[in-house]
Amino acid sequence: MNYMPGTASLIEDIDKKHLVLLRDGRTLIGILRSIDQFANLVLHQTVERIHVGKKFGDIPRGIFVVRGENVVLLGEVDLDKECDQILQRVSIEEILEEQRTEQQAKQESERLKLQAVKERGLSIPKADTLDDF
Amino acid sequence: MFRFQSFDDDCTLEEEEGLGEEEEEIDQFNDDTFGAGAIDDDWQEQHARLAELDELVRDDLPGADDPSSGDLPPAGSNAKPSPLPPPSSSSRLYPDIDERAGGDLAESLTRLILGSDPAIAGVGTASSDRSHLPPKLPGQTPHPSALAGLSPLQLSYQHHQHILHRGPAPLSQINSHSIWENNMGFGPVNSGLVSQKEDKTLMSIIKEVGLPNRPPKLREEGRDLSERVPPPRSSSPVIGSPPVRAVPIGTPPKQPMSQILNQQNNHPSAIHVRASVPMRYPPPFPERLSPNNLLSIANSPLSHSPFPAGVGPVLSQIQRAQMLNSQFHRGPGPPLLQGGIGGFRPFFGQSGPRMGPHGPPLSHAPIRHNTTHLHPQHRRMLNQRMQNRGLGDHVGGRGVGDRKNRDPYSNLMTQREKEWVARIQMMQLQSTDPYLDDYYYQNYYEKMEKRQERDRDNRKEHTTKLITPQVAKLEHTYRPVQFAGSLGKLTVSSVNNPRKMIDAVVTTRSDDEEKREKQVWNKRRQILYTVEKMYSLLLEVQDFEKKFLQTPEHQRDALLEQHKTHTLQLYNSLREKEWDDRVSDEQCLMIMSVRKGKRLISRLLPFLPQPQAAAVIMGIARNLPALAKKDKQDQVLCWLVEPVTGVIQAMSSTSLTDLLQELQGREGQLPLVLQNKFGVTLLYLILSEGERMQSSDPNCQLMDDNRWTELVFSVTRELLKVPSSALSSPLFTPPNLVSLFSRYVDRQRLELLQEKLQITSLSR
């Protein structure tokens, strides 16, 4: 039966594998099991996927209940297309390591930039004075 | 046993209390908790069983093609009357678990008494390769009804299970590590064992300590866990607020929802969704059933159950299990099982493939039994089976169907819940005026429809259209609560009736007054409007000079023309249509009555050609008394002096005489004129001009007729007559008045005049 045609309703997406992007930047992949009117999601057999460059790693997380307001976007995963991926799957430890390295590199560059800017007498407001993310 | 009996006593007590409506709802929950629904879900139990099953499958995969053995552990576990505790069967099949089962007297006893749905576990174990829950998956059956369906005993057991399953936390991760690979959820072998061991220790501890005294807490727990009912609101009074709902609008439905829905649906339920609504299973049984009632009812249909063939082999399994479990005290188990629901359920708990032999009897009559007493997952399976059958009938969606069949967690969200969410979403689309609320969507949709019609003219298919609920606009006037005999109103407000702070009362004046006032205002507005328009023209005219100098040679003619038309227009606006020469009194008066108008005229006069200007001044002179009266507040008539002077000085003698005549006009006008500064000034101007004319030009025609002389005489007479107080001082006194008067009056009068008017030959 066709629930609410012409609208963006998640009812049709139930029991299908979805990729959910959260506001804090995490990517979750899980089977959407239940929703409610706030688009709170219940994800089953959820996996948090961390992407670094061309590599990615999956951390199995189990069941997720996501509050609707924290979802940026979500979409159904095409199981056929999922098989042929350009990205390379690595182990969890490796991807976490990669992520750490990337974070460090980013922080380092940020620091250098800040320093350069300071030398020139300018100032960039820190992130914590701005909005959340 | 005694303890459990006391629990039962408590249950009945609770049921017998006469409770209010809200509490009735809660009571209903309790009934499910303690009564009929007690048959249902014990997810933790089932979960444990599945975990064991997981173990089983991993342990003896070769032996796993005996589905019956797989069925048994779940089959026995949940039936209330059934005497099949899983440990017993598992003890037969899984030797490693035996010790655990053996030592777990309390656990099995609780299982016994509570009874749970064998089919639930059957869901998970229907096929050997079904995915198995890692121990840490309590969310598998997230039904409020599931929770509601717990008896206090079950709750206590659940509590134990909580303790049990707090242990194997990392298991889930390890288990689900391979989930994506084969969607099977097989985990490492040792994981299950770990859980077993932990269970064992914990359970042994509990066994030693004994079951904690739970009855008082159980009630709360039952309430807390069931239905997610929040505590009744203490702060919002009934006055002015919507009725307090026991279950707020936001809670999802529990399974037997129809009653609650009816109670709670206050909003207009005009939801027309063209998509077909699937048939609900109408409960042929009353919602509230005590276990005894239920069993007795269930007995009858099952006695002539349509699946005699199916029941048979299953019963044999159960009987087999019974024999095995004879060591445990069953009590009312076996007789109930025979004709009871317990026997009914294992049938449905079987796997898909097993449905084969039972397909034919089912297909011809899709019988909707009362499924409310069933475990929700069981019901889900039923629905799924129905759906799949339906699917198989007309659509060859085998692939999807297969996948769905294999996914044991599908349809966690029941049809009812989906509809509930859809309904809420539809509620948000309610609108009394869709073109007002959602203009762009409406237009877009119309365009799309037209396009579709154009494109799909040949094809007859219609895409389903979302019909949003059309709600009649209801006026909710807020009438504040008022007690008789009290002053003022209560300020009780809620979200739905926000407080009305001010009692604004509209006072309407009587019609006549209003009309008059309106007329006055309208007229004034009109005058101002005219004045504004004239001003714009005037400004054009005034700027002409500048423009003229700026424009190049060849365009100057055109500009000149334009200028002429402007001036003409200006003048035209002052006069009536019929009278070419006369300035429209009414219009002039109107304009002059407004300060702005006076200013306008004063600026306008220099630009008008002489005859027209003269006409204007005539008009002014004619109406001077009225104007003077109107000018009392503003006192701006004197702005006119300068331009008027200019005009007068350019006047001919006849027009001057005329002017003087106009000024004198009717009887009694002159005194009024004299009272006004401007009037006096004007008079003096006229007189002085006349004098100038006479003295300068001996040929002037001023004296040709007697008018001038007469007029002057009358003026002098008036001047002498009028008391000094009534005579206002002019802006300036022209010097030649003396000579003027000396012509016409004798010395005595002249002196008087001089005195009065304070004119001396020396004064200015």
Side-chain angles (χ1 to χ4, degrees):
Chain A
M1 95 174 241
N2 199 2
Y3 285 96
M4 305 191 57
T7 62
S9 168
L10 287 171
I11 297 176
E12 300 289 315
D13 289 345
I14 281 184
D15 293 335
K16 295 183 185 151
K17 193 162 168 188
H18 276 73
L19 184 143
V20 181
L21 185 64
L22 301 180
R23 266 168 55 174
D24 60 358
R26 277 190 276 182
T27 310
L28 301 177
I29 299 177
I31 306 176
L32 185 63
R33 289 297 180 196
S34 184
I35 57 159
D36 70 349
Q37 68 266 35
F38 308 111
N40 295 335
L41 316 168
V42 172
L43 294 170
H44 183 218
Q45 294 172 349
T46 318
V47 149
E48 181 181 337
R49 188 163 287 184
I50 302 177
H51 288 272
V52 178
K54 285 243 171 99
K55 302 182 190 166
F56 73 92
D58 285 345
I59 305 175
R61 294 289 194 189
I63 298 181
F64 255 83
V65 175
V66 182
R67 188 177 166 97
E69 67 173 331
N70 294 304
V71 173
V72 171
L73 53 87
L74 73 142
E76 191 181 339
V77 171
D78 191 337
L79 294 167
D80 306 323
K81 286 189 184 170
E82 200 188 13
C83 300
D84 36 49
Q85 274 186 3
I86 310 165
L87 307 170
Q88 179 206 354
R89 176 101 182 267
V90 296
S91 70
I92 301 174
E93 294 82 20
E94 197 180 329
I95 199 69
L96 286 171
E97 188 59 41
E98 291 266 345
Q99 198 184 37
R100 211 173 302 136
T101 328
E102 193 192 38
Q103 285 283 62
Q104 276 178 346
K106 204 189 279 188
Q107 275 179 2
E108 186 61 30
S109 71
E110 196 62 39
R111 193 183 64 79
L112 287 171
K113 190 171 83 170
L114 204 64
Q115 198 175 10
V117 157
K118 227 175 12 173
E119 282 171 13
R120 283 157 180 76
L122 305 165
S123 77
I124 295 176
K126 272 204 226 165
D128 49 284
T129 59
L130 301 172
D131 203 358
D132 276 58
F133 305 108
Chain B
M1 286 311 293
F2 182 71
R3 226 182 294 136
F4 299 132
Q5 277 179 359
S6 69
F7 288 166
D8 282 331
D9 288 342
D10 289 341
C11 299
T12 48
L13 272 175
E14 181 143 44
E15 280 173 34
E16 284 165 8
E17 283 175 35
L19 303 165
E21 197 219 357
E22 300 162 17
E23 293 164 282
E24 218 168 14
E25 289 183 324
I26 298 171
D27 190 41
Q28 186 181 15
F29 306 159
N30 281 336
D31 197 47
D32 279 315
T33 305
F34 307 131
I39 308 161
D40 290 342
D41 181 36
D42 182 5
W43 52 266
Q44 280 176 325
E45 221 183 301
Q46 169 216 336
H47 160 72
R49 228 161 290 113
L50 287 172
E52 290 158 14
L53 226 88
D54 201 11
E55 265 300 303
L56 156 74
V57 174
R58 274 179 254 117
D59 283 349
D60 47 19
L61 271 165
D65 34 22
D66 178 13
S68 61
S69 59
D71 282 336
L72 271 177
S77 59
N78 292 338
K80 175 170 184 167
S82 100
L84 297 180
S88 56
S89 48
S90 57
S91 66
R92 172 177 79 93
L93 300 161
Y94 323 128
D96 54 338
I97 306 169
D98 213 355
E99 34 174 323
R100 171 189 172 223
D104 192 1
L105 182 62
E107 193 179 336
S108 51
L109 279 177
T110 50
R111 276 207 207 104
L112 197 181
I113 301 299
L114 304 174
S116 31
D117 194 347
I120 300 155
V123 168
T125 61
S127 59
S128 59
D129 54 349
R130 290 229 173 165
S131 60
H132 302 291
L133 302 162
K136 190 190 168 202
L137 260 186
Q140 186 200 354
T141 54
H143 299 285
S145 67
L147 297 168
L150 294 167
S151 73
L153 310 172
Q154 272 183 321
L155 281 172
S156 68
Y157 177 67
Q158 268 197 347
H159 198 75
H160 303 323
Q161 290 285 28
H162 266 300
I163 305 166
L164 288 175
H165 297 292
R166 237 177 268 154
L171 259 174
S172 57
Q173 293 180 355
I174 306 165
N175 264 346
S176 50
H177 175 68
S178 53
I179 272 176
W180 298 123
E181 281 157 11
N182 55 6
N183 214 17
M184 299 308 181
F186 285 123
V189 177
N190 38 8
S191 58
L193 277 173
V194 172
S195 67
Q196 301 293 328
K197 282 191 184 142
E198 282 181 59
D199 288 355
K200 182 186 161 202
T201 40
L202 284 163
M203 280 316 291
S204 54
I205 290 170
I206 290 168
K207 187 189 150 205
E208 285 167 16
V209 172
L211 284 174
N213 195 12
R214 286 254 158 225
K217 281 194 192 173
L218 277 175
R219 293 295 154 66
E220 300 159 20
E221 263 186 349
R223 284 224 189 92
D224 286 345
L225 291 172
S226 73
E227 314 315 311
R228 306 167 206 172
V229 173
R233 278 185 285 175
S234 55
S235 54
S236 100
V238 178
I239 304 168
S241 305
V244 174
R245 298 160 179 265
V247 180
I249 300 176
T251 52
K254 68 178 243 227
Q255 293 312 314
M257 198 171 103
S258 48
Q259 279 189 2
I260 305 166
L261 257 184
N262 292 338
Q263 290 159 0
Q264 287 181 352
N265 265 353
N266 295 339
H267 62 268
S269 57
I271 298 173
H272 323 285
V273 179
R274 203 194 283 173
S276 63
V277 178
M279 275 238 301
R280 298 263 179 84
Y281 295 114
F285 301 104
E287 295 288 83
R288 303 180 185 209
L289 289 173
S290 68
N292 297 326
N293 288 349
L294 184 63
L295 287 171
S296 56
I297 291 165
N299 267 330
S300 30
L302 280 175
S303 56
H304 31 76
S305 105
F307 325 104
V311 170
V314 178
L315 275 176
S316 64
Q317 288 174 28
I318 295 166
Q319 282 160 358
R320 236 185 300 151
Q322 260 182 293
M323 288 189 296
L324 291 164
N325 306 328
S326 54
Q327 51 174 318
F328 295 92
H329 173 59
R330 292 293 154 252
L336 289 171
L337 181 63
Q338 298 283 326
I341 310 147
F344 198 58
R345 290 215 198 104
F347 167 71
F348 283 103
Q350 288 175 14
S351 61
R354 277 204 73 116
M355 285 289 282
H358 315 295
L362 285 167
S363 57
H364 60 254
I367 294 160
R368 313 261 202 251
H369 299 276
N370 173 35
T371 50
T372 52
H373 59 277
L374 298 177
H375 185 267
Q377 199 153 9
H378 174 193
R379 208 175 305 136
R380 225 180 299 129
M381 288 304 296
L382 264 176
N383 294 352
Q384 218 182 341
R385 298 251 161 69
M386 297 292 192
Q387 269 179 9
N388 285 345
R389 231 174 290 121
L391 268 177
D393 281 347
H394 24 85
V395 182
R398 263 300 132 212
V400 176
D402 276 353
R403 215 177 293 166
K404 275 200 177 143
N405 274 338
R406 239 180 275 135
D407 186 5
Y409 303 103
S410 66
N411 291 338
L412 275 169
M413 199 174 180
T414 62
Q415 199 74 343
R416 215 164 204 158
E417 287 166 350
K418 287 183 192 172
E419 279 165 29
W420 173 78
V421 172
R423 188 175 299 166
I424 289 183
Q425 290 176 334
M426 292 292 268
M427 254 174 73
Q428 293 163 358
L429 297 177
Q430 275 177 9
S431 149
T432 51
D433 184 5
Y435 276 93
L436 187 70
D437 293 330
D438 207 358
Y439 173 76
Y440 293 102
Y441 176 75
Q442 295 292 325
N443 278 20
Y444 160 76
Y445 200 83
E446 278 167 19
K447 278 190 211 160
M448 206 172 69
E449 275 193 317
K450 279 183 207 152
R451 207 183 312 137
Q452 273 179 2
E453 264 186 49
R454 228 188 322 120
D455 293 342
R456 298 182 182 187
D457 239 344
N458 42 357
R459 282 185 276 167
K460 285 294 176 186
E461 57 172 286
H462 292 281
T463 50
T464 48
K465 177 186 169 173
L466 180 75
I467 301 176
T468 54
Q470 301 282 326
V471 182
K473 203 168 203 168
L474 292 171
E475 277 295 324
H476 297 282
T477 51
Y478 165 67
R479 292 194 67 252
V481 178
Q482 217 170 355
F483 290 114
S486 73
L487 287 173
K489 299 170 181 147
L490 286 185
T491 52
V492 166
S493 65
S494 76
V495 155
N496 294 322
N497 56 337
R499 180 169 53 181
K500 197 172 167 185
M501 295 292 295
I502 302 172
D503 252 349
V505 181
V506 175
T507 53
T508 50
R509 293 191 216 102
S510 70
D511 266 354
D512 287 344
E513 278 178 41
E514 211 174 310
K515 263 191 224 163
R516 251 177 281 142
E517 279 185 38
K518 263 197 183 164
Q519 279 171 354
V520 166
W521 274 106
N522 282 347
K523 205 169 190 182
R524 198 182 165 81
R525 272 196 221 123
Q526 223 169 358
I527 297 170
L528 284 169
Y529 185 68
T530 321
V531 168
E532 279 296 322
K533 283 220 160 145
M534 285 177 69
Y535 250 110
S536 53
L537 283 171
L538 176 66
L539 289 171
E540 290 257 345
V541 168
Q542 278 186 328
D543 290 337
F544 168 75
E545 184 101 26
K546 230 193 293 176
K547 268 202 276 181
F548 194 80
L549 292 170
Q550 283 176 353
T551 54
E553 196 66 47
H554 53 274
Q555 284 178 0
R556 281 189 180 171
D557 283 339
L559 201 62
L560 212 58
E561 274 304 313
Q562 209 182 21
H563 175 69
K564 280 203 185 117
T565 37
H566 283 323
T567 20
L568 202 62
Q569 257 179 310
L570 276 171
Y571 181 65
N572 286 344
S573 57
L574 281 173
R575 62 179 174 83
E576 277 178 20
K577 289 295 158 75
E578 303 107 49
W579 302 71
D580 268 336
D581 299 334
R582 259 171 80 101
V583 165
S584 154
D585 269 5
E586 206 181 305
Q587 190 79 335
C588 191
L589 200 62
M590 278 201 323
I591 293 176
M592 288 290 284
S593 58
V594 181
R595 190 180 341 129
K596 220 171 188 178
K598 288 174 210 150
R599 195 69 180 188
L600 172 74
I601 301 281
S602 72
R603 284 168 78 167
L604 174 61
L605 275 174
F607 291 99
L608 288 175
Q610 185 57 26
Q612 292 165 353
V616 171
I617 295 185
M618 299 266 210
I620 295 170
R622 213 177 313 133
N623 299 303
L624 201 53
L627 289 175
K629 200 163 46 157
K630 288 216 174 135
D631 193 42
K632 266 203 190 124
Q633 253 190 351
D634 295 330
Q635 299 290 327
V636 293
L637 267 176
C638 298
W639 284 340
L640 290 162
V641 169
E642 221 179 278
V644 164
T645 322
V647 176
I648 286 177
Q649 281 166 355
M651 263 178 163
S652 65
S653 53
T654 34
S655 45
L656 201 65
T657 324
D658 289 331
L659 188 59
L660 191 55
Q661 194 163 22
E662 294 277 7
L663 200 62
Q664 290 191 318
R666 293 172 275 110
E667 191 61 47
Q669 184 164 334
L670 200 54
L672 293 168
V673 169
L674 289 172
Q675 275 181 357
N676 181 261
K677 196 174 204 158
F678 174 69
V680 173
T681 321
L682 184 62
L683 181 66
Y684 285 2
L685 281 170
I686 297 169
L687 290 172
S688 99
E689 181 57 30
E691 176 59 28
R692 194 188 61 78
M693 264 193 221
Q694 255 187 321
S695 50
S696 59
D697 184 12
N699 295 336
C700 86
Q701 294 146 342
L702 205 57
M703 310 305 278
D704 279 357
D705 54 7
N706 275 340
R707 277 201 306 156
W708 177 253
T709 326
E710 277 175 31
L711 287 167
V712 176
F713 270 140
S714 61
V715 164
T716 46
R717 235 179 292 132
E718 201 59 48
L719 278 169
L720 287 167
K721 217 195 306 178
V722 138
S724 299
S725 56
L727 187 67
S728 64
S729 55
L731 272 173
F732 64 90
T733 315
N736 50 2
L737 279 180
V738 181
S739 49
L740 174 77
F741 288 130
S742 59
R743 270 185 228 251
Y744 298 100
V745 295
D746 54 14
R747 181 154 291 277
Q748 202 184 26
R749 288 213 188 114
L750 185 63
E751 277 175 13
L752 276 169
L753 266 175
Q754 270 183 330
E755 220 181 280
K756 209 165 200 184
L757 304 175
Q758 293 162 4
I759 322 165
T760 61
S761 22
L762 299 170
S763 72
R764 282 205 149 208

